Amino acid sequence: MTAELVQGQNHPLPGSRLEIRLSAGHPVIAGITLTDEHRRVPRPDWVAHPGSPDLPGLEVPRQVAAQHRLALDLDALPESARRVNVLIALPIGIGGPQRFGGLPAPHAAVVGPDGTGIADYTITGLDAESAVVALEFYRRQGAWKVRAVGQGYAGGLAELLTDQGLPEARQLATRIDGAIAHSPSPSHTAPPIRPPDADRSHRAPAPTLGGDQAGGPAPQGASGPVPPQSTTPPITPYGLSGPARPQQPVSPYDATDPGVPREPTSPYGGQGAQGPPDPPTHPTGPAPGGTPIDYSHPRRRQAPRPAPAPDPSDQPPPPVAGDATGWSMDERLYNQVWGMFEDLARTTAAYRGAVDFADSRMEKELDQVLSDPRNRIGGQGDAAREAARAKHAQLVDQARAALDRDLAQLAAEAEVLEPALPPAFARWDSPVWHAYRVPMEIPMTLRVGDLHLPESADLRIPLLIRLPLERGLWIDSGSAGSLDGSFTDTHDLRRLAMETAVAHAARLLAVYPAGEFSVHVIDPAGSGAQPLVPLVRAGVLAAPPAIGAAGVADVLARLTQRVDLVQMAVRGGAADSLPPDLDTAEQLLIVNDFPHGFDDGAVNQLRYLADEGPAVGVHLMVVADREEATAYGPLLDPLWRSLLRLTPVPDDHLADPWVGHAWTYEPALVPVGSQVLQQVLSLVAAARTKYT
């Protein structure tokens, strides 16, 4: 059954050889771009367009048309090509509309080599856009998938190609428009449609199709005449072109004497109109040369062969950890986690969109029924209501089945991926920590928690942030940080927030090589003494926690001076002239119970560290309740915006602007009663002793 896709939804493909059928209410340009592992088009010859329609494994039409057929063989693509983007654009320079908003919604269909429908997608919501990425083909776990994209660009092909990272985007867009403008015989209109009762006795033989109607012979019958024959070589379903075949008569009996009237053609393929003939037979006899002769009528068609049974070997292979692009295993695992996040976001967006569509359709049908007073009371109105509700339930069930299928695949991938994650990526309860050793190099990313959505509460996606930290962290200790409001005790919530900060700091110490990461603590009132015990007892802090106003001023002055010195050395190109006693390791400052103990000067210094510190290796982790800092007014707004907000309890505050999801964040905490934190910190302390 053909899958009806909505924007963001993906669908598995049964094979690698496909045909893409595009249609619009006006002649459009059809093209394909290939992107690498970074989702960028590296050079112009990775773009198939009318001026250069051939690439390995694919071919696009040479002219504009209201309907296109594109051949695609995914297994024949270049090895370095990771994704295939199918695009359409309105031509420039030949007249006509310059925006899709005034045209019927473009439609894209993916079919197999035998014409079996795989997926359909109608691109809705277009307005000022003149170029659109309709579909994306990509590989996940060894199997190809198609995704409905529907991303439009008001700036046309130039903006689309620029967004995909092509350096010569505008020059290539100009060449494409020029090739279309100088095309000798563009197909600006779709073939005319004749009425079903039109005279069929004077139909011309089907011509060989050219590049403007790529994808196979046009349908004959009631559709009437076809476009003129083109001299362009025909395109096979798999993107290979060959010499045009000479036009043959439809039947050997068509070459009759001009004076003899031709009998009307039967719908069943024979002459006359006596009804369906007997089943065709195939008598053969030896030719003079020994080759059998086929005497079957050339206009009688064989019954279609049944589709072959599905081959179990075509099923997607089981998931494998690290099955993504990247130069190292860490990079492959990071890209795999990112791919899982994208797939979960898109499949959930598709499910929500399908449910919204079902709701709106049911409301529309019910409004139509209730608009007639005669249907408000009686059996007819009740039957219409039941039919609308049944259709709604059917649509929701179909959407849920597709969601459950994708969730099952992601859950299987997560089950394989989680045990293979290194310490920087792993949860605190992972067995990898029992074999922990101090690393020799800095990892590329760090796990700070998990993400999930309401539709998939049991599926957790690791929240990874790149190292070195590009922005500070804010552990929100306010009551608003509790998703369900279960934490009403402010003291308990502040203690849990400080424990979360300690867990993050311990993980940072554990994933950095010995001596390359230092931690400072400001605890003006000493309220974080209990959660800080693991760090203090292990001796991994750069200095004892600073308390009181004097301690706050001393730590801030030293770190501010370090930022100034490193900045001056870098800007002056004199990094070797830094003082010998300057600690060149990455610095993390944990501030507990902010803004308690901070005067105006200390607040300004903290803002300075938040803005300038990350570029020179000084990072902040602030544990604070924003409501307690309202006395400073908008002065601290830039500080809060510069920090990544995390919570000590589950909270749905992380927004996804691409699909509009509110992700629920859960912090990466040490299991209750576990000794893993003490064991890891003791190994870190021992390595630091050897380093010094």
Side-chain angles (χ1 to χ4, degrees):
M1 184 177 67
T2 304
E4 295 287 344
L5 304 182
V6 298
Q7 187 175 24
Q9 186 177 2
N10 56 49
H11 186 74
L13 297 173
S16 60
R17 292 184 173 181
L18 308 167
E19 182 181 83
I20 306 162
R21 300 176 180 177
L22 304 173
S23 61
H26 186 271
V28 294
I29 302 170
I32 291 179
T33 62
L34 305 179
T35 58
D36 56 17
E37 64 273 13
H38 303 296
R39 298 190 176 184
R40 299 175 64 87
V41 181
R43 52 187 185 272
D45 59 0
W46 275 32
V47 181
H49 55 85
S52 178
D54 301 321
L55 285 178
L58 61 92
E59 188 168 1
V60 302
R62 297 176 180 270
Q63 297 174 343
V64 297
Q67 296 181 356
H68 290 287
R69 293 188 178 187
L70 288 66
L72 181 61
D73 186 353
L74 296 170
D75 289 342
L77 297 176
E79 183 65 26
S80 54
R82 304 301 182 187
R83 295 174 185 262
V84 181
N85 301 284
V86 179
L87 57 95
I88 59 175
L90 293 171
I92 298 177
I94 63 173
Q98 300 300 313
R99 51 192 292 269
F100 280 108
L103 300 175
H107 179 78
V110 182
V111 300
D114 56 353
T116 304
I118 299 174
D120 285 345
Y121 173 44
T122 300
I123 308 171
T124 59
L126 298 178
D127 186 12
E129 296 86 351
S130 58
V132 182
V133 177
L135 300 173
E136 178 188 52
F137 297 87
Y138 65 102
R139 191 194 297 269
R140 287 282 290 155
Q141 296 296 334
W144 284 97
K145 288 186 176 183
V146 58
R147 174 178 295 131
V149 180
Q151 176 65 51
Y153 297 86
L157 279 174
E159 184 180 354
L160 186 153
L161 296 174
T162 301
D163 187 54
Q164 294 192 357
L166 180 64
E168 303 87 355
R170 297 194 177 276
Q171 295 88 332
L172 180 59
T174 302
R175 292 201 300 269
I176 295 174
D177 293 331
I180 293 299
H182 295 86
S183 179
S185 57
S187 301
H188 293 317
T189 58
I193 299 176
R194 300 180 62 182
D197 57 350
D199 179 18
R200 307 185 187 191
S201 61
H202 302 290
R203 290 180 301 173
T208 303
L209 297 181
D212 59 335
Q213 299 289 335
Q220 293 295 312
S223 60
V226 295
Q229 180 176 355
S230 171
T231 58
T232 305
I235 300 173
T236 69
Y238 309 119
L240 302 177
S241 60
R245 297 181 179 180
Q247 181 174 325
Q248 300 292 340
V250 175
S251 166
Y253 308 104
D254 285 344
T256 57
D257 184 79
V260 179
R262 182 181 300 175
E263 297 184 6
T265 304
S266 168
Y268 301 97
Q271 299 295 322
Q274 289 85 15
D278 295 332
T281 59
H282 303 278
T284 59
T291 304
I293 301 176
D294 188 359
Y295 291 96
S296 61
H297 198 292
R299 302 182 78 177
R300 293 178 180 173
R301 299 179 180 178
Q302 295 286 346
R305 297 181 180 179
D311 187 357
S313 62
D314 292 338
Q315 298 298 323
V320 178
D323 186 14
T325 58
W327 294 101
S328 64
M329 177 57 72
D330 281 3
E331 186 176 0
R332 293 197 294 270
L333 291 172
Y334 174 81
N335 290 334
Q336 187 172 7
V337 170
W338 181 250
M340 293 174 61
F341 172 83
E342 286 187 330
D343 284 349
L344 180 56
R346 290 188 175 102
T347 190
T348 304
Y351 169 73
R352 293 180 180 179
V355 172
D356 291 341
F357 170 76
D359 292 342
S360 62
R361 176 170 180 169
M362 183 178 67
E363 291 178 2
K364 182 179 180 180
E365 293 177 352
L366 292 177
D367 289 342
Q368 291 176 350
V369 172
L370 297 177
S371 61
D372 189 349
R374 295 172 297 180
N375 295 333
R376 297 178 184 176
I377 302 176
Q380 185 177 1
D382 294 339
R385 294 185 187 94
E386 290 300 325
R389 295 188 180 99
K391 184 62 176 178
H392 174 272
Q394 179 185 3
L395 293 175
V396 173
D397 290 343
Q398 290 177 354
R400 186 70 210 191
L403 175 66
D404 291 340
R405 178 202 65 203
D406 293 340
L407 292 181
Q409 181 177 350
L410 287 172
E413 188 173 0
E415 186 177 355
V416 173
L417 178 66
E418 192 67 46
L421 296 178
F425 296 56
R427 296 195 300 255
W428 281 111
D429 58 355
S430 173
V432 72
W433 289 107
H434 297 292
Y436 167 76
R437 295 293 182 270
V438 177
M440 300 300 293
E441 58 183 20
I442 302 173
M444 67 177 298
T445 188
L446 181 82
R447 186 174 189 161
V448 295
D450 296 327
L451 299 174
H452 67 87
L453 292 170
E455 290 82 357
S456 54
D458 296 333
L459 180 60
R460 299 294 195 271
I461 305 296
L463 175 58
L464 306 177
I465 58 176
R466 299 297 294 263
L467 292 179
L469 296 174
E470 298 177 356
R471 58 190 300 196
L473 304 178
W474 165 30
I475 313 300
D476 190 355
S477 61
S479 58
S482 177
L483 181 63
D484 55 3
S486 57
F487 275 83
T488 57
D489 191 335
T490 305
H491 176 74
D492 289 343
L493 193 58
R494 289 180 177 178
R495 175 186 53 79
L496 187 59
M498 195 59 189
E499 291 177 355
T500 304
V502 170
H504 292 326
R507 185 183 290 266
L508 284 165
L509 286 166
V511 302
Y512 269 81
E516 294 192 18
F517 198 83
S518 298
V519 178
H520 308 263
V521 177
I522 291 179
D523 187 18
S527 58
Q530 184 62 33
L532 287 170
V533 167
L535 297 179
V536 175
R537 184 175 297 173
V540 293
L541 295 178
I547 59 175
V552 171
D554 179 63
V555 173
L556 292 177
R558 285 189 286 108
L559 291 178
T560 301
Q561 183 183 24
R562 182 189 185 281
V563 170
D564 292 338
L565 289 174
V566 175
Q567 279 186 341
M568 288 188 293
V570 171
R571 292 171 182 172
D576 296 338
S577 62
L578 289 171
D581 58 343
L582 182 71
D583 186 4
T584 57
E586 298 278 322
Q587 309 290 315
L588 175 67
L589 173 60
I590 302 177
V591 179
N592 183 34
D593 207 13
F594 177 80
H596 182 77
F598 280 70
D599 55 18
D600 292 344
V603 169
N604 289 330
Q605 285 180 310
L606 191 69
R607 285 186 53 188
Y608 176 75
L609 293 178
D611 294 337
E612 305 294 336
V616 293
V618 177
H619 313 284
L620 290 183
M621 185 182 298
V622 180
V623 181
D625 180 3
R626 187 171 182 175
E627 296 297 328
E628 296 183 356
T630 54
Y632 287 92
L635 178 65
L636 292 181
D637 288 348
L639 174 65
W640 305 121
R641 288 195 297 266
S642 67
L643 304 176
L644 174 62
R645 177 175 176 253
L646 303 176
T647 55
V649 292
D651 184 64
D652 59 349
H653 67 280
L654 292 179
D656 186 348
W658 193 77
V659 291
H661 295 332
W663 291 83
T664 298
Y665 164 78
E666 291 187 4
L669 298 176
V670 180
V672 178
S674 175
Q675 299 298 316
V676 64
L677 188 64
Q678 289 78 2
Q679 296 173 4
V680 170
L681 289 178
S682 63
L683 293 175
V684 172
R688 289 166 63 93
T689 302
K690 294 180 181 179
Y691 175 79
T692 56

